[in-house]
PDB file of all heavy atoms in Angstrom:
ATOM      1  N   GLY A   8      10.556  10.274  -6.257  1.00 95.00           N
ATOM      2  CA  GLY A   8      10.672   9.178  -5.471  1.00 95.00           C
ATOM      3  C   GLY A   8      10.041   7.876  -5.926  1.00 95.00           C
ATOM      4  O   GLY A   8       9.824   7.691  -7.177  1.00 95.00           O
ATOM      5  N   TYR A   9       9.670   7.012  -4.985  1.00 97.00           N
ATOM      6  CA  TYR A   9       9.139   5.739  -5.276  1.00 97.00           C
ATOM      7  C   TYR A   9       7.690   5.610  -4.815  1.00 97.00           C
ATOM      8  O   TYR A   9       7.369   6.150  -3.747  1.00 97.00           O
ATOM      9  CB  TYR A   9       9.953   4.585  -4.579  1.00 97.00           C
ATOM     10  CG  TYR A   9      11.395   4.478  -5.057  1.00 97.00           C
ATOM     11  CD1 TYR A   9      12.337   5.284  -4.559  1.00 97.00           C
ATOM     12  CD2 TYR A   9      11.696   3.657  -6.114  1.00 97.00           C
ATOM     13  CE1 TYR A   9      13.708   5.165  -5.026  1.00 97.00           C
ATOM     14  CE2 TYR A   9      12.998   3.522  -6.611  1.00 97.00           C
ATOM     15  CZ  TYR A   9      13.965   4.324  -6.092  1.00 97.00           C
ATOM     16  OH  TYR A   9      15.218   4.250  -6.513  1.00 97.00           O
ATOM     17  N   LEU A  10       6.880   4.891  -5.495  1.00 97.00           N
ATOM     18  CA  LEU A  10       5.468   4.680  -5.232  1.00 97.00           C
ATOM     19  C   LEU A  10       5.124   3.211  -5.410  1.00 97.00           C
ATOM     20  O   LEU A  10       5.604   2.583  -6.402  1.00 97.00           O
ATOM     21  CB  LEU A  10       4.627   5.544  -6.249  1.00 97.00           C
ATOM     22  CG  LEU A  10       3.077   5.261  -6.201  1.00 97.00           C
ATOM     23  CD1 LEU A  10       2.501   5.907  -4.940  1.00 97.00           C
ATOM     24  CD2 LEU A  10       2.458   5.841  -7.470  1.00 97.00           C
ATOM     25  N   ILE A  11       4.333   2.703  -4.547  1.00 97.00           N
ATOM     26  CA  ILE A  11       3.835   1.294  -4.607  1.00 97.00           C
ATOM     27  C   ILE A  11       2.355   1.415  -4.922  1.00 97.00           C
ATOM     28  O   ILE A  11       1.614   2.131  -4.280  1.00 97.00           O
ATOM     29  CB  ILE A  11       4.015   0.511  -3.310  1.00 97.00           C
ATOM     30  CG1 ILE A  11       5.494   0.313  -3.059  1.00 97.00           C
ATOM     31  CG2 ILE A  11       3.293  -0.796  -3.461  1.00 97.00           C
ATOM     32  CD1 ILE A  11       5.743  -0.315  -1.673  1.00 97.00           C
ATOM     33  N   ASP A  12       1.929   0.764  -6.035  1.00 96.00           N
ATOM     34  CA  ASP A  12       0.490   0.646  -6.383  1.00 96.00           C
ATOM     35  C   ASP A  12      -0.040  -0.668  -5.929  1.00 96.00           C
ATOM     36  O   ASP A  12       0.537  -1.776  -6.298  1.00 96.00           O
ATOM     37  CB  ASP A  12       0.270   0.777  -7.856  1.00 96.00           C
ATOM     38  CG  ASP A  12       0.004   2.215  -8.317  1.00 96.00           C
ATOM     39  OD1 ASP A  12      -0.011   3.107  -7.479  1.00 96.00           O
ATOM     40  OD2 ASP A  12      -0.223   2.424  -9.524  1.00 96.00           O
ATOM     41  N   GLU A  13      -1.098  -0.691  -5.122  1.00 94.00           N
ATOM     42  CA  GLU A  13      -1.780  -1.934  -4.756  1.00 94.00           C
ATOM     43  C   GLU A  13      -3.111  -1.925  -5.554  1.00 94.00           C
ATOM     44  O   GLU A  13      -3.930  -1.033  -5.370  1.00 94.00           O
ATOM     45  CB  GLU A  13      -2.110  -1.949  -3.250  1.00 94.00           C
ATOM     46  CG  GLU A  13      -2.927  -3.108  -2.754  1.00 94.00           C
ATOM     47  CD  GLU A  13      -2.335  -4.506  -3.189  1.00 94.00           C
ATOM     48  OE1 GLU A  13      -1.095  -4.628  -3.260  1.00 94.00           O
ATOM     49  OE2 GLU A  13      -3.118  -5.366  -3.361  1.00 94.00           O
ATOM     50  N   ILE A  14      -3.204  -2.909  -6.506  1.00 94.00           N
ATOM     51  CA  ILE A  14      -4.330  -2.949  -7.366  1.00 94.00           C
ATOM     52  C   ILE A  14      -5.438  -3.792  -6.805  1.00 94.00           C
ATOM     53  O   ILE A  14      -5.199  -4.998  -6.525  1.00 94.00           O
ATOM     54  CB  ILE A  14      -3.907  -3.477  -8.782  1.00 94.00           C
ATOM     55  CG1 ILE A  14      -2.811  -2.638  -9.320  1.00 94.00           C
ATOM     56  CG2 ILE A  14      -5.116  -3.599  -9.722  1.00 94.00           C
ATOM     57  CD1 ILE A  14      -2.130  -3.207 -10.587  1.00 94.00           C
ATOM     58  N   LYS A  15      -6.609  -3.229  -6.571  1.00 91.00           N
ATOM     59  CA  LYS A  15      -7.725  -3.977  -6.052  1.00 91.00           C
ATOM     60  C   LYS A  15      -8.946  -3.666  -7.055  1.00 91.00           C
ATOM     61  O   LYS A  15      -9.095  -2.585  -7.447  1.00 91.00           O
ATOM     62  CB  LYS A  15      -8.155  -3.523  -4.646  1.00 91.00           C
ATOM     63  CG  LYS A  15      -7.098  -3.841  -3.592  1.00 91.00           C
ATOM     64  CD  LYS A  15      -7.035  -5.270  -3.356  1.00 91.00           C
ATOM     65  CE  LYS A  15      -6.105  -5.584  -2.164  1.00 91.00           C
ATOM     66  NZ  LYS A  15      -5.704  -7.020  -2.193  1.00 91.00           N
ATOM     67  N   LEU A  16      -9.747  -4.705  -7.271  1.00 87.00           N
ATOM     68  CA  LEU A  16     -10.808  -4.469  -8.156  1.00 87.00           C
ATOM     69  C   LEU A  16     -11.833  -3.505  -7.489  1.00 87.00           C
ATOM     70  O   LEU A  16     -12.483  -2.749  -8.087  1.00 87.00           O
ATOM     71  CB  LEU A  16     -11.509  -5.785  -8.497  1.00 87.00           C
ATOM     72  CG  LEU A  16     -10.674  -6.755  -9.334  1.00 87.00           C
ATOM     73  CD1 LEU A  16     -11.418  -7.935  -9.758  1.00 87.00           C
ATOM     74  CD2 LEU A  16      -9.969  -6.106 -10.486  1.00 87.00           C
ATOM     75  N   GLY A  17     -11.934  -3.666  -6.162  1.00 71.00           N
ATOM     76  CA  GLY A  17     -12.796  -2.690  -5.407  1.00 71.00           C
ATOM     77  C   GLY A  17     -12.368  -2.803  -3.937  1.00 71.00           C
ATOM     78  O   GLY A  17     -11.684  -3.775  -3.585  1.00 71.00           O
ATOM     79  N   VAL A  18     -12.804  -1.849  -3.176  1.00 65.00           N
ATOM     80  CA  VAL A  18     -12.512  -1.992  -1.739  1.00 65.00           C
ATOM     81  C   VAL A  18     -13.489  -2.843  -0.986  1.00 65.00           C
ATOM     82  O   VAL A  18     -13.243  -3.269   0.101  1.00 65.00           O
ATOM     83  CB  VAL A  18     -12.410  -0.558  -1.080  1.00 65.00           C
ATOM     84  CG1 VAL A  18     -11.201   0.215  -1.564  1.00 65.00           C
ATOM     85  CG2 VAL A  18     -13.663   0.251  -1.254  1.00 65.00           C
ATOM     86  N   GLY A  19     -14.617  -3.156  -1.620  1.00 58.00           N
ATOM     87  CA  GLY A  19     -15.557  -4.115  -1.102  1.00 58.00           C
ATOM     88  C   GLY A  19     -16.312  -3.754   0.111  1.00 58.00           C
ATOM     89  O   GLY A  19     -16.192  -2.670   0.649  1.00 58.00           O
ATOM     90  N   ARG A  20     -16.945  -4.760   0.683  1.00 55.00           N
ATOM     91  CA  ARG A  20     -17.815  -4.614   1.832  1.00 55.00           C
ATOM     92  C   ARG A  20     -17.069  -4.132   3.106  1.00 55.00           C
ATOM     93  O   ARG A  20     -17.574  -3.345   3.831  1.00 55.00           O
ATOM     94  CB  ARG A  20     -18.529  -5.958   2.134  1.00 55.00           C
ATOM     95  CG  ARG A  20     -19.282  -5.873   3.420  1.00 55.00           C
ATOM     96  CD  ARG A  20     -19.860  -7.276   3.775  1.00 55.00           C
ATOM     97  NE  ARG A  20     -20.982  -7.494   2.824  1.00 55.00           N
ATOM     98  CZ  ARG A  20     -21.583  -8.640   2.736  1.00 55.00           C
ATOM     99  NH1 ARG A  20     -21.212  -9.660   3.458  1.00 55.00           N
ATOM    100  NH2 ARG A  20     -22.563  -8.798   1.853  1.00 55.00           N
ATOM    101  N   TYR A  21     -15.850  -4.605   3.212  1.00 55.00           N
ATOM    102  CA  TYR A  21     -15.140  -4.283   4.491  1.00 55.00           C
ATOM    103  C   TYR A  21     -14.186  -3.098   4.242  1.00 55.00           C
ATOM    104  O   TYR A  21     -13.454  -2.718   5.196  1.00 55.00           O
ATOM    105  CB  TYR A  21     -14.359  -5.493   4.970  1.00 55.00           C
ATOM    106  CG  TYR A  21     -15.338  -6.634   5.229  1.00 55.00           C
ATOM    107  CD1 TYR A  21     -15.408  -7.726   4.375  1.00 55.00           C
ATOM    108  CD2 TYR A  21     -16.211  -6.607   6.294  1.00 55.00           C
ATOM    109  CE1 TYR A  21     -16.333  -8.712   4.598  1.00 55.00           C
ATOM    110  CE2 TYR A  21     -17.125  -7.601   6.596  1.00 55.00           C
ATOM    111  CZ  TYR A  21     -17.218  -8.700   5.673  1.00 55.00           C
ATOM    112  OH  TYR A  21     -18.129  -9.676   5.887  1.00 55.00           O
ATOM    113  N   GLY A  22     -14.178  -2.563   3.047  1.00 56.00           N
ATOM    114  CA  GLY A  22     -13.445  -1.327   2.781  1.00 56.00           C
ATOM    115  C   GLY A  22     -11.946  -1.471   3.021  1.00 56.00           C
ATOM    116  O   GLY A  22     -11.376  -2.623   2.901  1.00 56.00           O
ATOM    117  N   GLU A  23     -11.308  -0.417   3.339  1.00 63.00           N
ATOM    118  CA  GLU A  23      -9.895  -0.369   3.479  1.00 63.00           C
ATOM    119  C   GLU A  23      -9.371  -1.215   4.650  1.00 63.00           C
ATOM    120  O   GLU A  23      -8.212  -1.583   4.713  1.00 63.00           O
ATOM    121  CB  GLU A  23      -9.365   1.096   3.574  1.00 63.00           C
ATOM    122  CG  GLU A  23      -9.657   1.844   2.281  1.00 63.00           C
ATOM    123  CD  GLU A  23      -9.431   3.302   2.477  1.00 63.00           C
ATOM    124  OE1 GLU A  23      -8.353   3.739   2.935  1.00 63.00           O
ATOM    125  OE2 GLU A  23     -10.343   4.048   2.086  1.00 63.00           O
ATOM    126  N   ASP A  24     -10.254  -1.399   5.664  1.00 68.00           N
ATOM    127  CA  ASP A  24      -9.819  -2.185   6.814  1.00 68.00           C
ATOM    128  C   ASP A  24      -9.338  -3.586   6.407  1.00 68.00           C
ATOM    129  O   ASP A  24      -8.442  -4.127   6.964  1.00 68.00           O
ATOM    130  CB  ASP A  24     -10.950  -2.343   7.845  1.00 68.00           C
ATOM    131  CG  ASP A  24     -11.272  -1.003   8.486  1.00 68.00           C
ATOM    132  OD1 ASP A  24     -10.451  -0.060   8.414  1.00 68.00           O
ATOM    133  OD2 ASP A  24     -12.417  -0.872   8.996  1.00 68.00           O
ATOM    134  N   ALA A  25      -9.938  -4.153   5.311  1.00 67.00           N
ATOM    135  CA  ALA A  25      -9.614  -5.483   4.895  1.00 67.00           C
ATOM    136  C   ALA A  25      -8.229  -5.617   4.315  1.00 67.00           C
ATOM    137  O   ALA A  25      -7.612  -6.634   4.322  1.00 67.00           O
ATOM    138  CB  ALA A  25     -10.651  -5.915   3.846  1.00 67.00           C
ATOM    139  N   VAL A  26      -7.631  -4.472   3.860  1.00 81.00           N
ATOM    140  CA  VAL A  26      -6.326  -4.462   3.311  1.00 81.00           C
ATOM    141  C   VAL A  26      -5.310  -3.718   4.123  1.00 81.00           C
ATOM    142  O   VAL A  26      -4.172  -3.480   3.729  1.00 81.00           O
ATOM    143  CB  VAL A  26      -6.326  -3.947   1.801  1.00 81.00           C
ATOM    144  CG1 VAL A  26      -7.080  -4.879   0.931  1.00 81.00           C
ATOM    145  CG2 VAL A  26      -6.811  -2.563   1.734  1.00 81.00           C
ATOM    146  N   GLN A  27      -5.722  -3.268   5.333  1.00 84.00           N
ATOM    147  CA  GLN A  27      -4.893  -2.437   6.156  1.00 84.00           C
ATOM    148  C   GLN A  27      -3.559  -3.127   6.472  1.00 84.00           C
ATOM    149  O   GLN A  27      -2.486  -2.478   6.429  1.00 84.00           O
ATOM    150  CB  GLN A  27      -5.609  -2.010   7.388  1.00 84.00           C
ATOM    151  CG  GLN A  27      -4.876  -0.960   8.214  1.00 84.00           C
ATOM    152  CD  GLN A  27      -4.599   0.298   7.408  1.00 84.00           C
ATOM    153  OE1 GLN A  27      -5.482   0.916   6.838  1.00 84.00           O
ATOM    154  NE2 GLN A  27      -3.350   0.830   7.383  1.00 84.00           N
ATOM    155  N   GLN A  28      -3.600  -4.409   6.837  1.00 85.00           N
ATOM    156  CA  GLN A  28      -2.321  -5.104   7.133  1.00 85.00           C
ATOM    157  C   GLN A  28      -1.363  -5.087   5.945  1.00 85.00           C
ATOM    158  O   GLN A  28      -0.183  -4.862   6.162  1.00 85.00           O
ATOM    159  CB  GLN A  28      -2.631  -6.522   7.550  1.00 85.00           C
ATOM    160  CG  GLN A  28      -2.853  -6.766   9.004  1.00 85.00           C
ATOM    161  CD  GLN A  28      -2.962  -8.208   9.304  1.00 85.00           C
ATOM    162  OE1 GLN A  28      -3.502  -9.013   8.565  1.00 85.00           O
ATOM    163  NE2 GLN A  28      -2.434  -8.581  10.478  1.00 85.00           N
ATOM    164  N   GLN A  29      -1.913  -5.300   4.810  1.00 86.00           N
ATOM    165  CA  GLN A  29      -1.099  -5.348   3.568  1.00 86.00           C
ATOM    166  C   GLN A  29      -0.506  -3.934   3.351  1.00 86.00           C
ATOM    167  O   GLN A  29       0.712  -3.829   3.031  1.00 86.00           O
ATOM    168  CB  GLN A  29      -1.997  -5.759   2.419  1.00 86.00           C
ATOM    169  CG  GLN A  29      -1.330  -6.012   1.133  1.00 86.00           C
ATOM    170  CD  GLN A  29      -2.247  -6.587   0.092  1.00 86.00           C
ATOM    171  OE1 GLN A  29      -3.511  -6.440   0.216  1.00 86.00           O
ATOM    172  NE2 GLN A  29      -1.743  -7.128  -0.961  1.00 86.00           N
ATOM    173  N   ILE A  30      -1.304  -2.887   3.439  1.00 90.00           N
ATOM    174  CA  ILE A  30      -0.851  -1.534   3.215  1.00 90.00           C
ATOM    175  C   ILE A  30       0.234  -1.225   4.272  1.00 90.00           C
ATOM    176  O   ILE A  30       1.311  -0.669   3.919  1.00 90.00           O
ATOM    177  CB  ILE A  30      -1.970  -0.538   3.287  1.00 90.00           C
ATOM    178  CG1 ILE A  30      -3.050  -0.852   2.283  1.00 90.00           C
ATOM    179  CG2 ILE A  30      -1.503   0.895   3.271  1.00 90.00           C
ATOM    180  CD1 ILE A  30      -2.669  -0.515   0.856  1.00 90.00           C
ATOM    181  N   SER A  31       0.003  -1.545   5.508  1.00 90.00           N
ATOM    182  CA  SER A  31       0.997  -1.278   6.557  1.00 90.00           C
ATOM    183  C   SER A  31       2.337  -1.944   6.301  1.00 90.00           C
ATOM    184  O   SER A  31       3.389  -1.381   6.467  1.00 90.00           O
ATOM    185  CB  SER A  31       0.481  -1.723   7.904  1.00 90.00           C
ATOM    186  OG  SER A  31      -0.652  -0.946   8.266  1.00 90.00           O
ATOM    187  N   ALA A  32       2.268  -3.206   5.812  1.00 90.00           N
ATOM    188  CA  ALA A  32       3.497  -3.966   5.507  1.00 90.00           C
ATOM    189  C   ALA A  32       4.232  -3.270   4.340  1.00 90.00           C
ATOM    190  O   ALA A  32       5.474  -3.191   4.391  1.00 90.00           O
ATOM    191  CB  ALA A  32       3.147  -5.403   5.147  1.00 90.00           C
ATOM    192  N   TYR A  33       3.465  -2.837   3.368  1.00 93.00           N
ATOM    193  CA  TYR A  33       4.145  -2.096   2.242  1.00 93.00           C
ATOM    194  C   TYR A  33       4.749  -0.742   2.642  1.00 93.00           C
ATOM    195  O   TYR A  33       5.792  -0.360   2.127  1.00 93.00           O
ATOM    196  CB  TYR A  33       3.130  -1.945   1.078  1.00 93.00           C
ATOM    197  CG  TYR A  33       2.747  -3.231   0.471  1.00 93.00           C
ATOM    198  CD1 TYR A  33       1.552  -3.299  -0.306  1.00 93.00           C
ATOM    199  CD2 TYR A  33       3.531  -4.372   0.534  1.00 93.00           C
ATOM    200  CE1 TYR A  33       1.230  -4.481  -0.907  1.00 93.00           C
ATOM    201  CE2 TYR A  33       3.127  -5.574  -0.089  1.00 93.00           C
ATOM    202  CZ  TYR A  33       1.962  -5.639  -0.807  1.00 93.00           C
ATOM    203  OH  TYR A  33       1.587  -6.771  -1.420  1.00 93.00           O
ATOM    204  N   LEU A  34       4.042  -0.085   3.540  1.00 94.00           N
ATOM    205  CA  LEU A  34       4.604   1.253   4.043  1.00 94.00           C
ATOM    206  C   LEU A  34       5.919   0.929   4.778  1.00 94.00           C
ATOM    207  O   LEU A  34       6.874   1.731   4.541  1.00 94.00           O
ATOM    208  CB  LEU A  34       3.615   1.918   4.948  1.00 94.00           C
ATOM    209  CG  LEU A  34       2.428   2.577   4.276  1.00 94.00           C
ATOM    210  CD1 LEU A  34       1.371   3.034   5.270  1.00 94.00           C
ATOM    211  CD2 LEU A  34       2.884   3.756   3.415  1.00 94.00           C
ATOM    212  N   GLU A  35       5.998  -0.061   5.540  1.00 93.00           N
ATOM    213  CA  GLU A  35       7.144  -0.376   6.263  1.00 93.00           C
ATOM    214  C   GLU A  35       8.251  -0.819   5.285  1.00 93.00           C
ATOM    215  O   GLU A  35       9.432  -0.333   5.424  1.00 93.00           O
ATOM    216  CB  GLU A  35       6.845  -1.521   7.286  1.00 93.00           C
ATOM    217  CG  GLU A  35       7.996  -1.879   8.231  1.00 93.00           C
ATOM    218  CD  GLU A  35       7.581  -2.903   9.178  1.00 93.00           C
ATOM    219  OE1 GLU A  35       6.567  -2.816   9.796  1.00 93.00           O
ATOM    220  OE2 GLU A  35       8.372  -3.917   9.270  1.00 93.00           O
ATOM    221  N   ALA A  36       7.950  -1.676   4.374  1.00 93.00           N
ATOM    222  CA  ALA A  36       8.906  -2.180   3.392  1.00 93.00           C
ATOM    223  C   ALA A  36       9.457  -1.043   2.515  1.00 93.00           C
ATOM    224  O   ALA A  36      10.657  -0.900   2.273  1.00 93.00           O
ATOM    225  CB  ALA A  36       8.303  -3.284   2.537  1.00 93.00           C
ATOM    226  N   GLY A  37       8.535  -0.190   2.090  1.00 95.00           N
ATOM    227  CA  GLY A  37       8.913   0.936   1.178  1.00 95.00           C
ATOM    228  C   GLY A  37       9.898   1.881   1.914  1.00 95.00           C
ATOM    229  O   GLY A  37      10.850   2.400   1.396  1.00 95.00           O
ATOM    230  N   THR A  38       9.620   2.180   3.181  1.00 95.00           N
ATOM    231  CA  THR A  38      10.432   3.026   4.046  1.00 95.00           C
ATOM    232  C   THR A  38      11.849   2.340   4.145  1.00 95.00           C
ATOM    233  O   THR A  38      12.877   3.109   4.069  1.00 95.00           O
ATOM    234  CB  THR A  38       9.765   3.343   5.379  1.00 95.00           C
ATOM    235  OG1 THR A  38       8.469   3.983   5.125  1.00 95.00           O
ATOM    236  CG2 THR A  38      10.658   4.204   6.258  1.00 95.00           C
ATOM    237  N   GLU A  39      11.819   1.062   4.414  1.00 93.00           N
ATOM    238  CA  GLU A  39      13.147   0.358   4.611  1.00 93.00           C
ATOM    239  C   GLU A  39      13.940   0.388   3.266  1.00 93.00           C
ATOM    240  O   GLU A  39      15.123   0.566   3.284  1.00 93.00           O
ATOM    241  CB  GLU A  39      12.873  -1.082   5.039  1.00 93.00           C
ATOM    242  CG  GLU A  39      12.503  -1.238   6.495  1.00 93.00           C
ATOM    243  CD  GLU A  39      12.193  -2.684   6.846  1.00 93.00           C
ATOM    244  OE1 GLU A  39      12.733  -3.564   6.194  1.00 93.00           O
ATOM    245  OE2 GLU A  39      11.477  -2.864   7.818  1.00 93.00           O
ATOM    246  N   LEU A  40      13.239   0.127   2.138  1.00 93.00           N
ATOM    247  CA  LEU A  40      13.910   0.049   0.910  1.00 93.00           C
ATOM    248  C   LEU A  40      14.400   1.455   0.341  1.00 93.00           C
ATOM    249  O   LEU A  40      15.525   1.524  -0.171  1.00 93.00           O
ATOM    250  CB  LEU A  40      12.964  -0.566  -0.193  1.00 93.00           C
ATOM    251  CG  LEU A  40      12.686  -2.040  -0.054  1.00 93.00           C
ATOM    252  CD1 LEU A  40      11.492  -2.399  -0.989  1.00 93.00           C
ATOM    253  CD2 LEU A  40      13.956  -2.868  -0.419  1.00 93.00           C
ATOM    254  N   TRP A  41      13.562   2.456   0.403  1.00 96.00           N
ATOM    255  CA  TRP A  41      13.870   3.623  -0.232  1.00 96.00           C
ATOM    256  C   TRP A  41      13.974   4.944   0.709  1.00 96.00           C
ATOM    257  O   TRP A  41      14.165   6.054   0.251  1.00 96.00           O
ATOM    258  CB  TRP A  41      12.741   3.948  -1.302  1.00 96.00           C
ATOM    259  CG  TRP A  41      12.696   2.805  -2.282  1.00 96.00           C
ATOM    260  CD1 TRP A  41      13.747   2.358  -3.068  1.00 96.00           C
ATOM    261  CD2 TRP A  41      11.603   1.995  -2.615  1.00 96.00           C
ATOM    262  NE1 TRP A  41      13.322   1.348  -3.866  1.00 96.00           N
ATOM    263  CE2 TRP A  41      12.005   1.113  -3.592  1.00 96.00           C
ATOM    264  CE3 TRP A  41      10.266   1.944  -2.181  1.00 96.00           C
ATOM    265  CZ2 TRP A  41      11.141   0.159  -4.158  1.00 96.00           C
ATOM    266  CZ3 TRP A  41       9.381   1.040  -2.727  1.00 96.00           C
ATOM    267  CH2 TRP A  41       9.834   0.125  -3.687  1.00 96.00           C
ATOM    268  N   GLY A  42      13.773   4.732   1.972  1.00 96.00           N
ATOM    269  CA  GLY A  42      13.870   5.845   2.949  1.00 96.00           C
ATOM    270  C   GLY A  42      13.035   7.049   2.605  1.00 96.00           C
ATOM    271  O   GLY A  42      11.879   6.917   2.297  1.00 96.00           O
ATOM    272  N   ALA A  43      13.723   8.191   2.634  1.00 96.00           N
ATOM    273  CA  ALA A  43      12.953   9.471   2.443  1.00 96.00           C
ATOM    274  C   ALA A  43      12.463   9.602   0.976  1.00 96.00           C
ATOM    275  O   ALA A  43      11.644  10.432   0.744  1.00 96.00           O
ATOM    276  CB  ALA A  43      13.876  10.608   2.756  1.00 96.00           C
ATOM    277  N   GLU A  44      13.006   8.777   0.122  1.00 96.00           N
ATOM    278  CA  GLU A  44      12.485   8.846  -1.326  1.00 96.00           C
ATOM    279  C   GLU A  44      11.180   8.083  -1.561  1.00 96.00           C
ATOM    280  O   GLU A  44      10.626   8.154  -2.599  1.00 96.00           O
ATOM    281  CB  GLU A  44      13.548   8.237  -2.310  1.00 96.00           C
ATOM    282  CG  GLU A  44      14.769   9.102  -2.448  1.00 96.00           C
ATOM    283  CD  GLU A  44      15.642   8.549  -3.541  1.00 96.00           C
ATOM    284  OE1 GLU A  44      16.456   7.670  -3.156  1.00 96.00           O
ATOM    285  OE2 GLU A  44      15.463   8.909  -4.708  1.00 96.00           O
ATOM    286  N   PHE A  45      10.737   7.446  -0.475  1.00 96.00           N
ATOM    287  CA  PHE A  45       9.446   6.650  -0.594  1.00 96.00           C
ATOM    288  C   PHE A  45       8.241   7.575  -0.409  1.00 96.00           C
ATOM    289  O   PHE A  45       8.155   8.222   0.662  1.00 96.00           O
ATOM    290  CB  PHE A  45       9.469   5.480   0.433  1.00 96.00           C
ATOM    291  CG  PHE A  45       8.207   4.681   0.395  1.00 96.00           C
ATOM    292  CD1 PHE A  45       7.710   4.092  -0.770  1.00 96.00           C
ATOM    293  CD2 PHE A  45       7.531   4.429   1.565  1.00 96.00           C
ATOM    294  CE1 PHE A  45       6.572   3.321  -0.747  1.00 96.00           C
ATOM    295  CE2 PHE A  45       6.402   3.670   1.545  1.00 96.00           C
ATOM    296  CZ  PHE A  45       5.905   3.131   0.418  1.00 96.00           C
ATOM    297  N   ILE A  46       7.417   7.671  -1.385  1.00 94.00           N
ATOM    298  CA  ILE A  46       6.257   8.518  -1.313  1.00 94.00           C
ATOM    299  C   ILE A  46       5.112   7.857  -0.527  1.00 94.00           C
ATOM    300  O   ILE A  46       4.474   8.453   0.272  1.00 94.00           O
ATOM    301  CB  ILE A  46       5.739   8.834  -2.734  1.00 94.00           C
ATOM    302  CG1 ILE A  46       6.784   9.741  -3.417  1.00 94.00           C
ATOM    303  CG2 ILE A  46       4.408   9.508  -2.695  1.00 94.00           C
ATOM    304  CD1 ILE A  46       6.542   9.893  -4.938  1.00 94.00           C
ATOM    305  N   GLY A  47       4.837   6.610  -0.852  1.00 95.00           N
ATOM    306  CA  GLY A  47       3.774   5.885  -0.159  1.00 95.00           C
ATOM    307  C   GLY A  47       3.170   4.782  -0.980  1.00 95.00           C
ATOM    308  O   GLY A  47       3.694   4.345  -2.031  1.00 95.00           O
ATOM    309  N   VAL A  48       1.983   4.358  -0.538  1.00 95.00           N
ATOM    310  CA  VAL A  48       1.254   3.285  -1.176  1.00 95.00           C
ATOM    311  C   VAL A  48      -0.116   3.850  -1.756  1.00 95.00           C
ATOM    312  O   VAL A  48      -0.837   4.442  -0.923  1.00 95.00           O
ATOM    313  CB  VAL A  48       0.993   2.084  -0.258  1.00 95.00           C
ATOM    314  CG1 VAL A  48       0.159   1.023  -0.922  1.00 95.00           C
ATOM    315  CG2 VAL A  48       2.283   1.536   0.261  1.00 95.00           C
ATOM    316  N   ARG A  49      -0.354   3.667  -2.989  1.00 94.00           N
ATOM    317  CA  ARG A  49      -1.635   4.054  -3.569  1.00 94.00           C
ATOM    318  C   ARG A  49      -2.497   2.839  -3.699  1.00 94.00           C
ATOM    319  O   ARG A  49      -2.155   1.879  -4.326  1.00 94.00           O
ATOM    320  CB  ARG A  49      -1.363   4.677  -4.941  1.00 94.00           C
ATOM    321  CG  ARG A  49      -2.630   5.256  -5.592  1.00 94.00           C
ATOM    322  CD  ARG A  49      -2.330   6.053  -6.815  1.00 94.00           C
ATOM    323  NE  ARG A  49      -1.728   5.250  -7.808  1.00 94.00           N
ATOM    324  CZ  ARG A  49      -1.745   5.563  -9.078  1.00 94.00           C
ATOM    325  NH1 ARG A  49      -2.349   6.638  -9.527  1.00 94.00           N
ATOM    326  NH2 ARG A  49      -1.162   4.750  -9.974  1.00 94.00           N
ATOM    327  N   LEU A  50      -3.654   2.807  -2.979  1.00 92.00           N
ATOM    328  CA  LEU A  50      -4.657   1.767  -3.099  1.00 92.00           C
ATOM    329  C   LEU A  50      -5.541   2.115  -4.291  1.00 92.00           C
ATOM    330  O   LEU A  50      -6.297   3.077  -4.236  1.00 92.00           O
ATOM    331  CB  LEU A  50      -5.491   1.709  -1.771  1.00 92.00           C
ATOM    332  CG  LEU A  50      -6.602   0.716  -1.809  1.00 92.00           C
ATOM    333  CD1 LEU A  50      -6.067  -0.700  -2.000  1.00 92.00           C
ATOM    334  CD2 LEU A  50      -7.350   0.786  -0.479  1.00 92.00           C
ATOM    335  N   CYS A  51      -5.314   1.382  -5.348  1.00 93.00           N
ATOM    336  CA  CYS A  51      -6.056   1.643  -6.595  1.00 93.00           C
ATOM    337  C   CYS A  51      -7.313   0.792  -6.629  1.00 93.00           C
ATOM    338  O   CYS A  51      -7.275  -0.366  -6.944  1.00 93.00           O
ATOM    339  CB  CYS A  51      -5.197   1.300  -7.820  1.00 93.00           C
ATOM    340  SG  CYS A  51      -3.653   2.310  -7.906  1.00 93.00           S
ATOM    341  N   ALA A  52      -8.481   1.404  -6.383  1.00 89.00           N
ATOM    342  CA  ALA A  52      -9.734   0.701  -6.430  1.00 89.00           C
ATOM    343  C   ALA A  52     -10.279   0.799  -7.824  1.00 89.00           C
ATOM    344  O   ALA A  52     -10.942   1.785  -8.220  1.00 89.00           O
ATOM    345  CB  ALA A  52     -10.678   1.299  -5.389  1.00 89.00           C
TER     346      ALA A  52
END
């Protein structure tokens, strides 16, 4: 399937909450683009 990598230098003080909107948008977009072939979003710290 398909995988989206989100590259972050670190998750920082606010952790994953700070990028949650971005991850949610990518999960939605990936599902729309690739359906069942979409694996998910990897947050690369």
